[in-house]
Amino acid sequence: LAVGEVLNGPTRYDTYYLLDRGLHKNLPEGTEAKGLDKVFLGFDAQGQPIGFAITAAKPGFQDVIRMLYGYSPDTKKMLGLKVLENKETPGLGDKILETSFLEQFQGALTPLQKIKPGAGKGLAQEIDMITGATISSRTVIDAVNASLEYWEPFLLPVWAEVQP
């Protein structure tokens, strides 16, 4: 369900597992999927690739914030973001769950840039941090950037492979 949300409703998606410094849709005989890092590649009704859904996690103010985000390698843009788990302070840090914060990620250019609310120049990579929840909002942005830096070398060969 969350994969569909961050990829804006793909018709289907394939799971790719990270093994031997590469992404594999089909694991070798006898290889256990449990414990392997994975990403999801979504496709539209015409079978065209939409983008990848990728998990990210980083310690926030209270505890680890876990999220899933959609990313398109050809445009280097975010497709969406959903916070899956957080224990941030109610009324403050949990503002990372608010639509106004999450909507900023749709179409944002990567790497993301943290800015103080209202201080932006209108650039596609700018994400307004949340006043009163600076640590939590910074954590989400930093987690996405770090995750993309890690995953991109693995995503690009698969993306090239699935292009028409």
Side-chain angles (χ1 to χ4, degrees), residues 16 23 41-43 48-52 71-75 79 152 154-164:
Y16 283 81
L23 287 174
L41 176 58
F43 296 88
Q48 301 301 311
I50 297 169
F52 289 95
Y71 174 71
S72 172
D74 58 349
T75 62
L79 302 172
E152 195 153 44
F154 305 116
L155 303 177
L156 295 176
V158 172
W159 189 254
E161 207 175 275
V162 298
Q163 293 307 306

Side-chain angles (χ1 to χ4, degrees), residues 29-43:
E29 188 84 25
T31 305
E32 191 64 43
K34 189 177 180 180
L36 293 178
D37 288 332
K38 61 187 171 205
V39 295
F40 308 93
L41 176 58
F43 296 88

Side-chain angles (χ1 to χ4, degrees), residues 18-75:
L18 184 60
L19 180 69
D20 299 329
R21 306 292 300 153
L23 287 174
H24 302 274
K25 191 161 79 170
N26 301 309
L27 291 172
E29 188 84 25
T31 305
E32 191 64 43
K34 189 177 180 180
L36 293 178
D37 288 332
K38 61 187 171 205
V39 295
F40 308 93
L41 176 58
F43 296 88
D44 66 16
Q46 289 73 44
Q48 301 301 311
I50 297 169
F52 289 95
I54 306 164
T55 55
K58 189 171 168 76
F61 184 68
Q62 298 281 6
D63 200 357
V64 174
I65 299 172
R66 298 184 194 291
M67 63 213 81
L68 184 72
Y69 64 93
Y71 174 71
S72 172
D74 58 349
T75 62

Side-chain angles (χ1 to χ4, degrees), residues 88-100:
E88 299 302 277
T89 310
L92 290 172
D94 69 353
K95 289 183 178 180
I96 58 172
L97 302 173
E98 291 180 1
T99 305
S100 58

